[in-house]
Amino acid sequence: MRHSHGPGDQAAMDRYDAAKIEPKWQQAWDSAGCFAAKADPSRPKYYVLEMFPYPSGNLHIGHVRNYAMGDVVARYKLATGHAVLHPMGWDAFGLPAENAAIERGVHPGDWTYANIDAMKSQFARLGLTLDWSREFATCDPEYYGQQQSMFLDFLEKGLVYRKNAVVNWDPVDMTVLANEQVEDGKGWRSGATVERRELTQWFFRISDYAEDLLAALDRLDDWPEKVKSMQRNWIGKSRGLQFAFGLDGGPDGHDRIEVYTTRPDTLMGASFVGISPDHPLARALEADNADLAAFSAECRRMGTAEEELEKAEKRGFDSGLSVRHPFDTARTLPVYVANFILMDYGTGAIFGCPAHDARDLEFARKYDLPVVSVFEPSSGTHTAPEEGGAAYVPPKTEAVRYIRGFAGTEHQTGEAAIDAAIDFCEGNGVGLGVTKFRLRDWGLSRQRYWGCPIPVVHCDGCGVVAEKKENLPIELPRDVEFDRSGNPLDRHPTWRDVPCPSCGQPARRETDTMDTFVDSSWYYARFTSPGATTPTDPDESAYWMNVDQYIGGVEHAILHLLYSRFFARAMHICGHLPAKAIEPFDALFTQGMVTHEIYQTRDAQGRVVYHFPHEVTDKKLADGTPVGVIPSAKMSKSKRNVVDPVEIIDRFGADTARWFVLSDSPPERDVEWTDAGAEAAAKHLARVYRIALAARDAEQAGTGDADLRCETHKAIHDVTVGIESFGFNAAIARLYAFANTLSKSRAGRSAQIEAARTLAQLMSPMTPHLSEEIWQMLGGEGLIALAPWPRADPALLIEDEITMAVQVNGKRRDEITVARDLPKDQVETLALGSEAVRRSLDGKAPKKVIVVPGRIVNVVV
RNA sequence: GCCCAGGUGGCGGAAUGGUAGACGCGCUGGCUUCAGGUGCCAGUGGCCGCAAGGCCGUGGAGGUUCGAGUCCUCUCCUGGGCACCA
């Protein structure tokens, strides 16, 4: 039961009541339509975007932080006269919907759209400046139809192609599994041993752009270094030597093995050659070697996840073949099929140099192969690997002494030796220096229902035929069943049957759908013209692109952001984005998580039991059982350390939630959610409201009007700098300080009202509802959301008097207050005259006095 | 192993090479209130001291500087990312 109010909406509350004011102002913004993005040539444009959410049905507190940050930026840019685009949509395709269908019998579409409705109403309570008129979900046929149309454009430009690739195949569920669905080599649902199976799949030619995607990172000045370096590593550019070993006694057509090495300088230490089980030679040998076939089959049973390969023991199978060393043809090296060599990287074959590679050494010791050092430290001693030491792998930049080098000088760095070795080899007709990238092409085929259908048709006569654009969108059929294993599209009675777009004969529709990363690789562009009948509208994308500020979690540092960068390039090639948009995100900010303590007890069997925060008071359960407290960690349902934003908003209001998630930590770092902190935030907002009431009711005349004005302008300056530099926590700290100043001020009414209105404005990006309420109460014109941002008067920022610390030998002894522009020598005299300074000097004569104007005086003896 | 961030009060965290600990939480004391998620005032790094004041203090060890949390060298610890990548 809330207390009563004065009559009518215009009367101010006597107490801050979030539940009362928040819906009111949300409605006011809504009916003023102030957040609908409108192109306006008279203003600079600003596109702020937060990574759109997966519609799980529940907003979590991490979302609140993410969107609160974007909203601060959006509101600030709005107030500083920008035409702001701040859209929101849904990353709505993907596995959870299919899982829900399997587990609960709901249709993935119904489940998804119901979740979107639920989440949208949760969003509404946050009071964000979102332009909902541009909303779309990636599972809307209008959206994915345009995606299909772009797929066809990409196909025409050669940006998509088909090739065979290995997938995780669950033989019981008859389905392809994502890496995360494979646990210990078993399918997560069926428990069946997962096989590696080769399927023909669609790929984007992202690797053709590896060099460009790498080089362009250097120009992304407003991206975090961390993200750029993660992308650099992922792209993985390397320079090395590719050459062939002559093979003796191989099967027909196999008289050489191509290898790639980044360490050609270690060639004289080579003691074996390893090839991937998927290498053509291994496949040829398998045919009449049952043991090898069994070994390879076992290797293939491992998942395709790299971590999994990593954990596996390094094993090899001696093929019985051998190759000749290129520089010493009398020497032969055995050829092993090895489980740790990937067909996808380099040539699928390596030479092993056990002395200078830990993995090769492990392998050599296991199979009793020679270990031959090529170089040793330039100085000092070390235990050579041949004498039981570890593999010697110094940084490539370190100079070492080559004992079996064949190019360059005796003492040189690895880098120099590699270059010399490549030159030498090329000069002697042994191989070629080549640059390779770790980045592989992006496989987009998914053997699933709830994704964007790939718009091609398989015709017995014409092969793979692109669908006609006028037939788009190729919509997913609604009548599907999830009660059996496999892809529902595959066994749909009619959906697959279509005439060939080319010859008209009966043909089959492709039943694979697209990876959901495709959906999220261009949504930012679609927001510029969500209703267009082409993927984008040239005028709109020319006006709104690029995204000026993109905000999201660092977990998307690599894939989503790299794919989007590729996609923007591809869209440009097909005429869907202007050249300036090939790097679609001008500035990127990666925000930290919201964490929470974890509470646990143990049951009778000693198993850990987790407890919700609301069950715990003073580190005890209701029945008095003491609770173990584990330091803050990422919120997770299983750990029960989650806070529900809806509950928080019910209890404190959206402004409090927004204020708190921004206040306690720098935005790029994690913030710990604490109940005490949230309560403190709520109390502070209530206090700000009281301060505003007090300003309204202040005496007409008071003292310190000028001082309060100066303080107000200093606050404007500091808060503005804080917001512009993403120092939201610093801006909020400054707002606390300013509120304290105002509450203590004895200034007259008009000065106080001006200060309180400014306080409300400066807070409005974080606490928009409260700010509107105060603005209205204090007679502000129109909506605060549309009011121009206050400007600090530089003249008011300058202090007449300043306090300077006085040090003796670098230790603070006193402080003096002097006129701002007092000449140095007079400052010096004042400092030396200080009682405390004289005491510290203890009669000694100062050797030197350093005066830093406006800052400090240091007396040196 | 490699690459990034970070180590500052009881806690979250501030500090263009210039008064370390802003601001908040917590805590202590006082006042206030129809005790309605109270409000206000004061204090709060450690040690010594009644106080004035002094000494110590930003993971550790050195260094540069009139002056170092900040710069340099070495080192320890924590968090994150990457990796059978040839």
Short mmCIF file of all heavy atoms in Angstrom, two decimals, chain A residues 356-401:
data_model
loop_
_atom_site.label_atom_id
_atom_site.label_comp_id
_atom_site.label_asym_id
_atom_site.label_seq_id
_atom_site.Cartn_x
_atom_site.Cartn_y
_atom_site.Cartn_z
N HIS A 356 63.51 -30.08 -31.12
CA HIS A 356 63.03 -28.71 -30.99
C HIS A 356 61.51 -28.59 -31.02
O HIS A 356 60.96 -27.59 -31.46
CB HIS A 356 63.67 -27.84 -32.08
CG HIS A 356 65.18 -27.88 -32.00
ND1 HIS A 356 65.87 -27.36 -30.93
CD2 HIS A 356 66.11 -28.44 -32.81
CE1 HIS A 356 67.17 -27.57 -31.11
NE2 HIS A 356 67.34 -28.24 -32.24
N ASP A 357 60.84 -29.63 -30.59
CA ASP A 357 59.38 -29.59 -30.50
C ASP A 357 58.95 -30.61 -29.46
O ASP A 357 59.25 -31.80 -29.58
CB ASP A 357 58.75 -29.91 -31.87
CG ASP A 357 57.24 -29.78 -31.84
OD1 ASP A 357 56.58 -30.57 -31.11
OD2 ASP A 357 56.71 -28.91 -32.54
N ALA A 358 58.29 -30.13 -28.43
CA ALA A 358 57.95 -30.98 -27.30
C ALA A 358 57.09 -32.17 -27.73
O ALA A 358 57.29 -33.29 -27.28
CB ALA A 358 57.21 -30.15 -26.25
N ARG A 359 56.16 -31.90 -28.62
CA ARG A 359 55.25 -32.95 -29.05
C ARG A 359 55.97 -34.01 -29.88
O ARG A 359 55.79 -35.21 -29.69
CB ARG A 359 54.14 -32.28 -29.86
CG ARG A 359 53.22 -33.16 -30.58
CD ARG A 359 52.57 -32.34 -31.68
NE ARG A 359 53.61 -31.57 -32.38
CZ ARG A 359 53.39 -30.74 -33.37
NH1 ARG A 359 52.17 -30.50 -33.76
NH2 ARG A 359 54.38 -30.10 -33.94
N ASP A 360 56.88 -33.53 -30.78
CA ASP A 360 57.66 -34.47 -31.58
C ASP A 360 58.58 -35.30 -30.70
O ASP A 360 58.83 -36.47 -30.97
CB ASP A 360 58.50 -33.71 -32.62
CG ASP A 360 57.62 -33.03 -33.69
OD1 ASP A 360 56.41 -33.34 -33.72
OD2 ASP A 360 58.15 -32.22 -34.46
N LEU A 361 59.08 -34.66 -29.65
CA LEU A 361 59.99 -35.39 -28.75
C LEU A 361 59.24 -36.50 -28.02
O LEU A 361 59.72 -37.63 -27.91
CB LEU A 361 60.61 -34.42 -27.74
CG LEU A 361 61.67 -35.01 -26.81
CD1 LEU A 361 62.87 -35.53 -27.61
CD2 LEU A 361 62.15 -33.99 -25.78
N GLU A 362 58.04 -36.19 -27.56
CA GLU A 362 57.21 -37.19 -26.89
C GLU A 362 56.98 -38.37 -27.85
O GLU A 362 57.10 -39.54 -27.47
CB GLU A 362 55.86 -36.55 -26.49
CG GLU A 362 54.96 -37.49 -25.71
CD GLU A 362 53.57 -36.88 -25.45
OE1 GLU A 362 53.44 -35.64 -25.45
OE2 GLU A 362 52.62 -37.67 -25.26
N PHE A 363 56.72 -38.03 -29.07
CA PHE A 363 56.44 -39.04 -30.09
C PHE A 363 57.70 -39.89 -30.37
O PHE A 363 57.64 -41.12 -30.43
CB PHE A 363 55.97 -38.34 -31.38
CG PHE A 363 55.35 -39.24 -32.40
CD1 PHE A 363 54.02 -39.63 -32.29
CD2 PHE A 363 56.10 -39.72 -33.47
CE1 PHE A 363 53.44 -40.46 -33.23
CE2 PHE A 363 55.53 -40.56 -34.42
CZ PHE A 363 54.19 -40.93 -34.30
N ALA A 364 58.83 -39.19 -30.51
CA ALA A 364 60.09 -39.88 -30.84
C ALA A 364 60.49 -40.84 -29.72
O ALA A 364 60.96 -41.95 -29.96
CB ALA A 364 61.19 -38.86 -31.08
N ARG A 365 60.31 -40.39 -28.50
CA ARG A 365 60.70 -41.25 -27.38
C ARG A 365 59.80 -42.47 -27.32
O ARG A 365 60.24 -43.58 -27.04
CB ARG A 365 60.68 -40.47 -26.07
CG ARG A 365 61.87 -39.52 -26.01
CD ARG A 365 62.05 -38.83 -24.67
NE ARG A 365 63.31 -38.07 -24.70
CZ ARG A 365 63.50 -36.91 -24.08
NH1 ARG A 365 62.54 -36.38 -23.36
NH2 ARG A 365 64.67 -36.30 -24.16
N LYS A 366 58.53 -42.25 -27.61
CA LYS A 366 57.60 -43.36 -27.57
C LYS A 366 57.93 -44.41 -28.63
O LYS A 366 57.84 -45.61 -28.38
CB LYS A 366 56.18 -42.81 -27.81
CG LYS A 366 55.11 -43.86 -27.73
CD LYS A 366 53.77 -43.19 -27.57
CE LYS A 366 52.70 -44.26 -27.42
NZ LYS A 366 51.40 -43.67 -27.13
N TYR A 367 58.32 -43.96 -29.82
CA TYR A 367 58.57 -44.91 -30.92
C TYR A 367 60.05 -45.09 -31.20
O TYR A 367 60.43 -45.59 -32.25
CB TYR A 367 57.79 -44.47 -32.17
CG TYR A 367 56.31 -44.54 -31.93
CD1 TYR A 367 55.55 -43.41 -31.71
CD2 TYR A 367 55.66 -45.79 -31.85
CE1 TYR A 367 54.20 -43.48 -31.43
CE2 TYR A 367 54.31 -45.88 -31.58
CZ TYR A 367 53.58 -44.72 -31.38
OH TYR A 367 52.24 -44.81 -31.10
N ASP A 368 60.87 -44.63 -30.26
CA ASP A 368 62.30 -44.89 -30.33
C ASP A 368 62.92 -44.36 -31.63
O ASP A 368 63.63 -45.07 -32.34
CB ASP A 368 62.54 -46.41 -30.21
CG ASP A 368 63.91 -46.69 -29.61
OD1 ASP A 368 64.48 -45.74 -29.02
OD2 ASP A 368 64.40 -47.82 -29.75
N LEU A 369 62.65 -43.12 -31.90
CA LEU A 369 63.18 -42.47 -33.10
C LEU A 369 64.35 -41.58 -32.70
O LEU A 369 64.42 -41.13 -31.56
CB LEU A 369 62.07 -41.64 -33.76
CG LEU A 369 60.86 -42.45 -34.21
CD1 LEU A 369 59.66 -41.56 -34.49
CD2 LEU A 369 61.21 -43.29 -35.44
N PRO A 370 65.26 -41.32 -33.63
CA PRO A 370 66.45 -40.53 -33.28
C PRO A 370 66.07 -39.09 -32.88
O PRO A 370 65.10 -38.53 -33.38
CB PRO A 370 67.29 -40.53 -34.55
CG PRO A 370 66.51 -41.20 -35.60
CD PRO A 370 65.30 -41.82 -35.02
N VAL A 371 66.89 -38.52 -31.99
CA VAL A 371 66.73 -37.13 -31.57
C VAL A 371 68.03 -36.43 -31.92
O VAL A 371 69.10 -36.82 -31.45
CB VAL A 371 66.46 -37.04 -30.06
CG1 VAL A 371 66.34 -35.58 -29.63
CG2 VAL A 371 65.20 -37.81 -29.69
N VAL A 372 67.96 -35.43 -32.77
CA VAL A 372 69.18 -34.76 -33.25
C VAL A 372 69.03 -33.25 -33.09
O VAL A 372 68.17 -32.65 -33.72
CB VAL A 372 69.43 -35.09 -34.75
CG1 VAL A 372 70.69 -34.40 -35.24
CG2 VAL A 372 69.50 -36.59 -34.95
N SER A 373 69.85 -32.64 -32.25
CA SER A 373 69.78 -31.20 -32.05
C SER A 373 70.32 -30.46 -33.27
O SER A 373 71.31 -30.89 -33.88
CB SER A 373 70.61 -30.79 -30.83
OG SER A 373 69.87 -31.04 -29.67
N VAL A 374 69.65 -29.37 -33.60
CA VAL A 374 70.09 -28.54 -34.71
C VAL A 374 70.82 -27.31 -34.18
O VAL A 374 71.76 -26.82 -34.79
CB VAL A 374 68.88 -28.12 -35.56
CG1 VAL A 374 69.27 -27.09 -36.62
CG2 VAL A 374 68.26 -29.34 -36.22
N PHE A 375 70.36 -26.84 -33.03
CA PHE A 375 71.04 -25.69 -32.42
C PHE A 375 71.03 -25.84 -30.92
O PHE A 375 70.30 -26.67 -30.36
CB PHE A 375 70.39 -24.36 -32.87
CG PHE A 375 68.89 -24.32 -32.71
CD1 PHE A 375 68.29 -24.12 -31.47
CD2 PHE A 375 68.05 -24.50 -33.83
CE1 PHE A 375 66.92 -24.08 -31.34
CE2 PHE A 375 66.67 -24.46 -33.69
CZ PHE A 375 66.10 -24.25 -32.46
N GLU A 376 71.88 -25.04 -30.29
CA GLU A 376 71.95 -25.05 -28.84
C GLU A 376 72.09 -23.62 -28.38
O GLU A 376 72.34 -22.73 -29.20
CB GLU A 376 73.13 -25.91 -28.38
CG GLU A 376 74.46 -25.42 -28.94
CD GLU A 376 75.63 -26.33 -28.60
OE1 GLU A 376 75.39 -27.53 -28.39
OE2 GLU A 376 76.76 -25.82 -28.56
N PRO A 377 71.94 -23.37 -27.08
CA PRO A 377 72.03 -21.98 -26.62
C PRO A 377 73.38 -21.37 -27.00
O PRO A 377 74.39 -22.06 -27.00
CB PRO A 377 71.89 -22.10 -25.11
CG PRO A 377 71.20 -23.39 -24.88
CD PRO A 377 71.61 -24.29 -25.99
N SER A 378 73.36 -20.07 -27.32
CA SER A 378 74.59 -19.38 -27.69
C SER A 378 75.59 -19.39 -26.54
O SER A 378 76.78 -19.39 -26.75
CB SER A 378 74.28 -17.93 -28.07
OG SER A 378 74.18 -17.83 -29.47
N SER A 379 75.07 -19.32 -25.34
CA SER A 379 75.97 -19.35 -24.19
C SER A 379 75.27 -20.13 -23.09
O SER A 379 74.08 -20.40 -23.17
CB SER A 379 76.26 -17.92 -23.74
OG SER A 379 75.04 -17.30 -23.40
N GLY A 380 76.04 -20.50 -22.07
CA GLY A 380 75.46 -21.25 -20.97
C GLY A 380 75.37 -22.73 -21.33
O GLY A 380 75.75 -23.15 -22.43
N THR A 381 74.86 -23.48 -20.38
CA THR A 381 74.80 -24.92 -20.61
C THR A 381 73.35 -25.35 -20.67
O THR A 381 72.47 -24.68 -20.15
CB THR A 381 75.47 -25.67 -19.44
OG1 THR A 381 74.87 -25.20 -18.23
CG2 THR A 381 76.96 -25.43 -19.42
N HIS A 382 73.11 -26.44 -21.31
CA HIS A 382 71.79 -27.03 -21.25
C HIS A 382 71.91 -28.54 -21.50
O HIS A 382 72.89 -29.00 -22.08
CB HIS A 382 70.82 -26.33 -22.21
CG HIS A 382 70.73 -26.91 -23.58
ND1 HIS A 382 71.83 -27.11 -24.38
CD2 HIS A 382 69.67 -27.35 -24.30
CE1 HIS A 382 71.43 -27.63 -25.54
NE2 HIS A 382 70.14 -27.79 -25.51
N THR A 383 70.94 -29.25 -21.03
CA THR A 383 70.94 -30.69 -21.27
C THR A 383 70.29 -30.92 -22.62
O THR A 383 69.13 -30.58 -22.84
CB THR A 383 70.12 -31.41 -20.18
OG1 THR A 383 70.57 -30.96 -18.91
CG2 THR A 383 70.29 -32.91 -20.28
N ALA A 384 71.07 -31.44 -23.55
CA ALA A 384 70.56 -31.66 -24.89
C ALA A 384 69.43 -32.66 -24.87
O ALA A 384 69.44 -33.59 -24.05
CB ALA A 384 71.69 -32.15 -25.79
N PRO A 385 68.45 -32.49 -25.72
CA PRO A 385 67.33 -33.44 -25.76
C PRO A 385 67.80 -34.88 -26.00
O PRO A 385 67.20 -35.82 -25.46
CB PRO A 385 66.46 -32.95 -26.91
CG PRO A 385 66.90 -31.55 -27.20
CD PRO A 385 68.28 -31.38 -26.67
N GLU A 386 68.88 -35.05 -26.77
CA GLU A 386 69.34 -36.42 -27.00
C GLU A 386 69.88 -37.05 -25.73
O GLU A 386 70.03 -38.25 -25.63
CB GLU A 386 70.36 -36.53 -28.14
CG GLU A 386 71.36 -35.41 -28.34
CD GLU A 386 70.85 -34.27 -29.20
OE1 GLU A 386 70.01 -33.50 -28.70
OE2 GLU A 386 71.29 -34.14 -30.36
N GLU A 387 70.21 -36.20 -24.75
CA GLU A 387 70.70 -36.75 -23.48
C GLU A 387 69.63 -36.69 -22.40
O GLU A 387 69.93 -36.62 -21.21
CB GLU A 387 71.95 -35.97 -23.04
CG GLU A 387 73.21 -36.47 -23.71
CD GLU A 387 74.10 -35.32 -24.18
OE1 GLU A 387 74.14 -34.28 -23.49
OE2 GLU A 387 74.70 -35.46 -25.26
N GLY A 388 68.40 -36.68 -22.82
CA GLY A 388 67.32 -36.74 -21.84
C GLY A 388 66.74 -35.39 -21.46
O GLY A 388 65.81 -35.31 -20.67
N GLY A 389 67.28 -34.30 -22.02
CA GLY A 389 66.74 -32.98 -21.73
C GLY A 389 65.40 -32.75 -22.41
O GLY A 389 64.96 -33.58 -23.23
N ALA A 390 64.78 -31.64 -22.05
CA ALA A 390 63.51 -31.29 -22.70
C ALA A 390 63.81 -30.76 -24.09
O ALA A 390 64.94 -30.39 -24.41
CB ALA A 390 62.79 -30.23 -21.88
N ALA A 391 62.78 -30.75 -24.93
CA ALA A 391 62.93 -30.16 -26.26
C ALA A 391 63.37 -28.70 -26.10
O ALA A 391 62.84 -27.99 -25.24
CB ALA A 391 61.62 -30.24 -27.02
N TYR A 392 64.34 -28.28 -26.88
CA TYR A 392 64.84 -26.92 -26.75
C TYR A 392 64.13 -26.03 -27.76
O TYR A 392 64.36 -26.10 -28.95
CB TYR A 392 66.37 -26.92 -26.97
CG TYR A 392 66.98 -25.54 -26.91
CD1 TYR A 392 66.72 -24.69 -25.83
CD2 TYR A 392 67.80 -25.09 -27.94
CE1 TYR A 392 67.28 -23.43 -25.78
CE2 TYR A 392 68.37 -23.82 -27.90
CZ TYR A 392 68.10 -22.99 -26.81
OH TYR A 392 68.65 -21.74 -26.77
N VAL A 393 63.20 -25.20 -27.24
CA VAL A 393 62.37 -24.37 -28.11
C VAL A 393 62.45 -22.91 -27.65
O VAL A 393 61.54 -22.41 -27.00
CB VAL A 393 60.90 -24.84 -28.10
CG1 VAL A 393 60.13 -24.21 -29.25
CG2 VAL A 393 60.79 -26.35 -28.17
N PRO A 394 63.54 -22.22 -27.97
CA PRO A 394 63.64 -20.82 -27.56
C PRO A 394 62.77 -19.95 -28.46
O PRO A 394 62.37 -20.40 -29.53
CB PRO A 394 65.12 -20.51 -27.79
CG PRO A 394 65.52 -21.42 -28.91
CD PRO A 394 64.67 -22.66 -28.79
N PRO A 395 62.47 -18.72 -28.01
CA PRO A 395 61.72 -17.82 -28.89
C PRO A 395 62.47 -17.61 -30.21
O PRO A 395 63.70 -17.62 -30.22
CB PRO A 395 61.65 -16.51 -28.11
CG PRO A 395 62.02 -16.84 -26.72
CD PRO A 395 62.82 -18.08 -26.74
N LYS A 396 61.71 -17.41 -31.28
CA LYS A 396 62.35 -17.26 -32.59
C LYS A 396 63.23 -16.02 -32.67
O LYS A 396 64.04 -15.89 -33.57
CB LYS A 396 61.27 -17.16 -33.68
CG LYS A 396 60.61 -18.48 -33.99
CD LYS A 396 59.55 -18.29 -35.08
CE LYS A 396 58.69 -19.54 -35.21
NZ LYS A 396 57.50 -19.30 -36.01
N THR A 397 63.03 -15.11 -31.73
CA THR A 397 63.80 -13.87 -31.76
C THR A 397 65.13 -14.02 -31.03
O THR A 397 65.94 -13.10 -31.02
CB THR A 397 63.00 -12.75 -31.06
OG1 THR A 397 62.52 -13.26 -29.81
CG2 THR A 397 61.82 -12.31 -31.91
N GLU A 398 65.33 -15.17 -30.40
CA GLU A 398 66.54 -15.35 -29.60
C GLU A 398 67.66 -15.93 -30.48
O GLU A 398 67.44 -16.84 -31.28
CB GLU A 398 66.21 -16.33 -28.46
CG GLU A 398 67.21 -16.32 -27.34
CD GLU A 398 66.71 -17.19 -26.18
OE1 GLU A 398 65.60 -16.92 -25.67
OE2 GLU A 398 67.41 -18.15 -25.83
N ALA A 399 68.88 -15.38 -30.31
CA ALA A 399 70.02 -15.89 -31.08
C ALA A 399 70.51 -17.19 -30.46
O ALA A 399 70.61 -17.32 -29.23
CB ALA A 399 71.15 -14.87 -31.09
N VAL A 400 70.77 -18.17 -31.29
CA VAL A 400 71.26 -19.48 -30.82
C VAL A 400 72.43 -19.90 -31.70
O VAL A 400 72.69 -19.30 -32.75
CB VAL A 400 70.16 -20.56 -30.87
CG1 VAL A 400 69.05 -20.23 -29.89
CG2 VAL A 400 69.59 -20.71 -32.28
N ARG A 401 73.13 -20.95 -31.28
CA ARG A 401 74.27 -21.43 -32.09
C ARG A 401 73.83 -22.66 -32.87
O ARG A 401 73.39 -23.67 -32.30
CB ARG A 401 75.44 -21.81 -31.18
CG ARG A 401 76.71 -22.11 -31.97
CD ARG A 401 77.88 -22.28 -31.04
NE ARG A 401 77.99 -23.65 -30.54
CZ ARG A 401 78.59 -24.65 -31.19
NH1 ARG A 401 79.14 -24.43 -32.38
NH2 ARG A 401 78.64 -25.86 -30.67
#
